Amino acid sequence: MNIKAFVIDLDGVLTQDERFSPIDGAVEFIDCLNKNSVPYVIATSNSRFSPEEIGKALKENGFNIDTDRIITPLVIAPEVLKNDRIKTLFVIGSDNLKEYLGSKGFIIKESPEVDAVLVGLDKNLNFQKLKIGTTALKVYKARLYALNKNIISKDDDGLLFPGVGTVAKMFSTACQCQENFKHFGKMGEEYNNVLLQKLKIEDISSVGMISDDIFVDLKGYKSIGMKTVFVTTGKYTKEDAKDADFIDITVDKLTELIGRVIPDC
């Protein structure tokens, strides 16, 4: 299969928890890409940490990955929000996310009188936050944004939970607003533009998307012409993917691609 460059998911593909502990074979796979000068970017929907924090943690865990290869929703969101003239935000997400957005000049409020509601991954999501977000959208006509469109996510303990996109969809349904809310994750227009600019590959059919996310990542990037590699180390299983005709290759470990898709190291 002719793959000359890779877009590589992070959670469930290279790393297995919020400490960014490597999945077996992941460090060796990245080392092999580096050795063979194969172009790649790390495309993640992680919204709890900045690209710099992720890059530092990856290096501490043995990954030789430069920070400028890492694309996250936080690379995209501030510029788009400013272009949309958003100044005040109610944020559903981590304290790290709120601090990051505050450092970019946004006013973060814990009340519904805001310009926009921004949905990120929030492990402390509760009824009060749901009320504030709903009131902001329905009563104060705030705009709705999401940091990604993930349907489902997997926690460090192996249990699954509704993804950011699913929570945002809940708000859009409840408030009858913005059915196609803007998101800043993979398969978002702005995200894809940054991704392709960093890869510098003209022929998109020679790019391989490696992910554990069947629906947003693999189905999405197949639709725009990329090759697709499903890895079984994350949130979906082979059983989940049995009818997914948009998957080109399935592997249980990234090192299975060495000698098969990329040169031996």
Side-chain angles (χ1 to χ4, degrees):
M1 182 173 289
N2 181 30
I3 299 180
K4 297 181 178 178
F6 288 96
V7 178
I8 308 170
D9 189 18
L10 181 64
D11 300 330
V13 176
L14 296 180
T15 63
Q16 58 189 332
D17 52 41
E18 287 199 347
R19 298 182 299 278
F20 299 97
S21 305
I23 289 173
D24 186 31
V27 171
E28 292 84 353
F29 178 71
I30 293 296
D31 286 344
C32 195
L33 293 181
N34 291 334
K35 181 178 179 180
N36 286 289
S37 300
V38 177
Y40 68 92
V41 294
I42 308 302
T44 177
S45 295
N46 190 303
S47 60
R48 289 173 62 81
F49 303 98
S50 69
E52 292 75 19
E53 288 173 318
I54 293 173
K56 180 181 178 182
L58 289 175
K59 286 188 181 298
E60 289 173 350
N61 280 292
F63 288 100
N64 184 16
I65 298 173
D66 293 334
T67 299
D68 64 2
R69 290 186 185 270
I70 301 170
I71 307 170
T72 86
L74 299 188
V75 173
I76 315 298
E79 182 177 351
V80 175
L81 290 170
K82 287 178 181 178
N83 287 342
D84 287 351
R85 299 182 179 180
I86 301 299
K87 295 181 180 179
T88 58
L89 289 167
F90 175 64
V91 177
I92 293 178
S94 66
D95 289 339
N96 272 6
L97 173 59
K98 294 175 185 179
E99 290 170 8
Y100 180 83
L101 292 167
S103 74
K104 297 297 181 180
F106 297 99
I107 299 170
I108 311 303
K109 300 178 71 175
E110 298 299 327
S111 62
E113 301 90 347
V114 291
D115 298 327
V117 173
L118 177 63
V119 181
L121 195 159
D122 191 338
K123 293 190 175 183
N124 295 305
L125 182 61
N126 57 33
F127 190 56
Q128 181 67 14
K129 293 177 183 180
L130 294 178
K131 290 194 296 181
I132 294 173
T134 303
T135 304
L137 295 165
K138 186 68 174 175
V139 177
Y140 292 93
K141 307 303 179 185
R143 298 185 65 174
L144 176 62
Y145 297 87
L147 284 175
N148 62 64
K149 213 169 184 179
N150 286 3
I151 297 171
I152 197 169
S153 296
K154 187 176 184 179
D155 207 359
D156 289 358
D157 59 7
L159 296 179
L160 303 173
F161 60 94
V164 169
T166 298
V167 175
K169 176 69 173 178
M170 176 197 66
F171 277 117
S172 71
T173 300
C175 301
Q176 300 174 318
C177 64
Q178 293 174 258
E179 181 69 20
N180 295 313
F181 55 86
K182 187 176 290 186
H183 73 95
F184 307 121
K186 282 172 278 186
M187 284 306 297
E189 180 180 357
E190 294 86 358
Y191 194 106
N192 285 353
N193 286 342
V194 171
L195 184 155
L196 294 173
Q197 287 170 7
K198 282 185 176 290
L199 275 181
K200 299 177 181 178
I201 298 290
E202 293 184 4
D203 180 11
I204 199 168
S205 68
S206 68
V207 178
M209 159 56 82
I210 305 176
S211 181
D212 70 321
D213 190 307
I214 299 170
F215 301 106
V216 174
D217 291 2
L218 300 180
K219 186 176 183 179
Y221 284 99
K222 183 68 172 183
S223 74
I224 64 172
M226 288 187 188
K227 304 293 192 304
T228 53
V229 180
F230 172 52
V231 290
T232 62
T233 49
K235 58 194 174 188
Y236 290 109
T237 66
K238 286 182 179 178
E239 179 66 19
D240 294 321
K242 65 180 182 180
D243 297 320
D245 58 1
F246 47 84
I247 294 174
D248 295 312
I249 300 173
T250 297
V251 296
D252 297 317
K253 191 175 179 179
L254 287 175
T255 48
E256 292 177 30
L257 297 173
I258 297 173
R260 180 180 177 184
V261 176
I262 64 173
D264 286 314
C265 295

